[in-house]
Amino acid sequence: MQTIKQEVMWAKFVAYKFLRKVLGSNNIVADFPSSSETMFEPEETSGASSSGQASRISSGKHIADDQGKHKIFVGSWNVGGVAPPDDLNMEDWLCTHNDPADIYVLGFQEVVPLNAGNIVLGFENRKICCRWNSLIREALNNSISKHVHEEDKVGESYKGSVSVRFCLHETSFCFVCSHLASGGKEGDENNRNSNAAEILSRTRFSRGPLRNLPRKILDHDQVIWLGDLNYRIYLPHTTTRSLVQKKEWNTLLERDQLKVELMEGHVFQGWREGMIEFAPTYKYYQNSQVYYGCDKKRKGEKKRAPAWCDRIIWFGEGLKQKEYSRGESRLSDHRPVRAIFVSEIEAPSNSRRLGRFNCLKDHLEECFNEKVPCNVRTSFYSE
């Protein structure tokens, strides 16, 4: 009997904490709780939230509740399986020397070499991944004095994609990082279109806490897709190389596969991309500014024309792109790309917050009235 009483009091204690925090500053909902999160935390005398571990994203600074717009940095880089040197300068790509963003989303492709051991057998070079994480963390922390949070969880991933989502106030976000089918032959673009369609149709998220969060990518309010999409240019190799040398970007972009396929409705219907005013990001000799196949001293090499393989596109309302450019690191055969967005966030009203809280309150009251042991914790968070 004593045990039941303590368990009921636990439910009342949680309800008390959530009732106090229902109008508090926590405004991000993740799919799953952090493994280090505890419910019985001491109350903060400063008035700060004591459940901040349940609301973490890759952020350069704390997100303020009273702001309706937030700056998002999105970057993608195919690093070609090359391990980064310890002195690699990440700040140039991340633009940390300028006004930092509120949210940083970074996607990498080919972090480890594409060989049978890493792909078929599933082996992972953890040292390389840890080194990338360390360099990114150092670049952000060196230029941003505020605490950098880590992402809670990722969604399910399918055939070369990883999807991440979260809610900020009343706005749901989804970020998709993918590496689509390669190949520069005629008809290879159909494989890339098929990859994208399959990712959109097969990706499913678990239901979020306290409310029915979107389960499909396109059901989110704001969606950003980044990665090595591998789309090439519908021109002969020699013509492409000549136009690249002359920096005739507009002429090349008229024959860019992604733009053509998108315009004709074969893929990514309703998606948008910013204006491209930078050189093709693929394919370079490593540690060089020379495109692959353009070095006359090297004979017998496979022909690969330059292309904008690395892209960032978006879907939904409330996103405005402020920058679309590339970095100049020569680490791999790809150049990294970046985009900066300003996102308009729908601020929550007090009535909607209280309405979403009712389902939790009713559940806790039921536990109290029926003396149901609350020894199995469900995933719920205060907003």
Side-chain angles (χ1 to χ4, degrees):
M1 184 66 182
Q2 183 66 22
T3 302
I4 295 178
K5 181 178 180 181
Q6 290 177 348
E7 289 166 345
V8 171
M9 290 183 65
W10 180 90
K12 293 179 66 178
F13 177 77
V14 173
Y16 173 73
K17 287 176 67 68
F18 274 80
L19 282 169
R20 289 190 61 190
K21 296 176 183 297
V22 64
L23 301 180
S25 61
N26 292 336
N27 46 38
I28 298 171
V29 175
D31 287 330
F32 302 98
S34 170
S35 59
S36 61
E37 181 189 354
T38 59
M39 294 299 299
F40 290 91
E41 297 177 3
E43 294 291 336
E44 298 287 340
T45 56
S46 63
S49 169
S50 63
S51 59
Q53 293 179 356
S55 57
R56 291 182 173 177
I57 57 175
S58 300
S59 172
K61 55 185 178 180
H62 293 293
I63 298 176
D65 286 67
D66 57 351
Q67 294 180 351
K69 296 182 179 180
H70 298 277
K71 183 178 178 182
I72 303 176
F73 178 99
V74 180
S76 177
W77 194 1
N78 184 326
V79 295
V82 180
D86 293 334
D87 60 349
L88 179 64
N89 181 10
M90 299 289 291
E91 296 182 8
D92 173 65
W93 176 42
L94 299 178
C95 296
T96 53
H97 51 278
N98 295 327
D99 183 35
D102 299 302
I103 301 170
Y104 284 86
V105 179
L106 305 178
F108 290 84
Q109 304 85 48
E110 298 186 34
V111 173
V112 295
L114 298 182
N115 55 45
N118 288 324
I119 300 176
V120 179
L121 300 180
F123 294 151
E124 181 180 8
N125 191 328
R126 294 186 178 182
K127 291 183 179 180
I128 295 179
C129 296
C130 290
R131 192 179 302 178
W132 278 113
N133 288 334
S134 178
L135 287 168
I136 294 169
R137 187 180 299 110
E138 181 180 358
L140 294 177
N141 286 335
N142 281 345
S143 300
I144 304 171
S145 59
K146 300 285 180 86
H147 181 65
V148 178
H149 295 306
E150 295 180 354
E151 172 61 41
D152 266 310
K153 286 287 181 179
V154 299
E156 298 179 4
S157 62
Y158 292 100
K159 299 193 180 187
S161 75
V162 175
S163 302
V164 182
R165 62 90 171 266
F166 59 85
C167 277
L168 178 57
H169 288 310
E170 301 297 327
T171 302
S172 60
F173 292 83
C174 183
F175 298 88
V176 182
C177 177
S178 71
H179 192 180
L180 303 185
S182 62
K185 298 179 182 179
E186 183 178 356
D188 285 342
E189 68 278 7
N190 296 327
N191 295 331
R192 295 184 266 276
N193 294 351
S194 178
N195 288 167
E198 189 172 8
I199 290 170
L200 288 170
S201 65
R202 293 185 60 186
T203 302
R204 291 289 188 278
F205 291 94
S206 61
R207 296 194 180 278
L210 293 184
R211 53 180 158 175
N212 293 326
L213 293 177
R215 301 200 67 188
K216 300 178 67 175
I217 292 174
L218 293 180
D219 289 338
H220 291 79
D221 297 317
Q222 299 179 9
V223 186
I224 298 179
W225 193 309
L226 58 146
D228 181 358
L229 306 190
N230 254 321
Y231 286 96
R232 311 302 170 89
I233 297 173
Y234 289 121
L235 287 172
H237 288 188
T238 55
T239 304
T240 299
R241 295 182 192 281
S242 176
L243 292 172
V244 167
Q245 189 175 10
K246 298 176 183 178
K247 299 184 178 180
E248 296 285 347
W249 309 144
N250 291 335
T251 304
L252 287 165
L253 287 168
E254 290 176 358
R255 305 301 300 275
D256 174 77
Q257 284 185 351
L258 177 57
K259 290 192 174 296
V260 172
E261 295 296 297
L262 195 154
M263 182 176 60
E264 294 182 354
H266 297 161
V267 69
F268 293 119
Q269 293 90 344
W271 291 72
R272 287 171 281 179
E273 183 180 25
M275 184 177 297
I276 295 178
E277 298 178 320
F278 50 89
T281 58
Y282 174 86
K283 170 179 172 66
Y284 288 90
Y285 291 110
Q286 189 179 352
N287 297 318
S288 171
Q289 288 184 307
V290 180
Y291 284 105
Y292 193 88
C294 292
D295 189 345
K296 297 180 180 179
K297 298 180 181 179
R298 307 188 188 191
K299 298 181 180 180
E301 291 180 327
K302 187 176 181 179
K303 298 294 184 181
R304 291 188 180 176
W308 286 281
C309 289
D310 309 277
R311 311 291 275 267
I312 300 173
I313 59 178
W314 77 92
F315 181 88
E317 300 300 325
L319 282 172
K320 294 183 179 179
Q321 192 179 74
K322 296 298 182 181
E323 179 181 336
Y324 194 21
S325 58
R326 72 176 215 173
E328 296 302 330
S329 173
R330 304 177 188 179
L331 179 70
S332 79
D333 55 351
H334 289 251
R335 294 294 185 264
V337 294
R338 58 179 168 246
I340 296 177
F341 295 89
V342 172
S343 172
E344 295 182 357
I345 306 298
E346 181 183 355
S349 63
N350 291 347
S351 59
R352 294 187 67 177
R353 282 181 169 183
L354 288 172
R356 285 196 304 273
F357 182 74
N358 285 336
C359 63
L360 172 62
K361 182 172 68 69
D362 293 342
H363 172 71
L364 293 174
E365 288 178 351
E366 181 180 354
C367 289
F368 175 74
N369 293 332
E370 298 182 5
K371 293 183 172 56
V372 178
C374 295
N375 52 5
V376 179
R377 188 182 137 205
T378 55
S379 299
F380 49 77
Y381 306 98
S382 66
E383 272 200 285

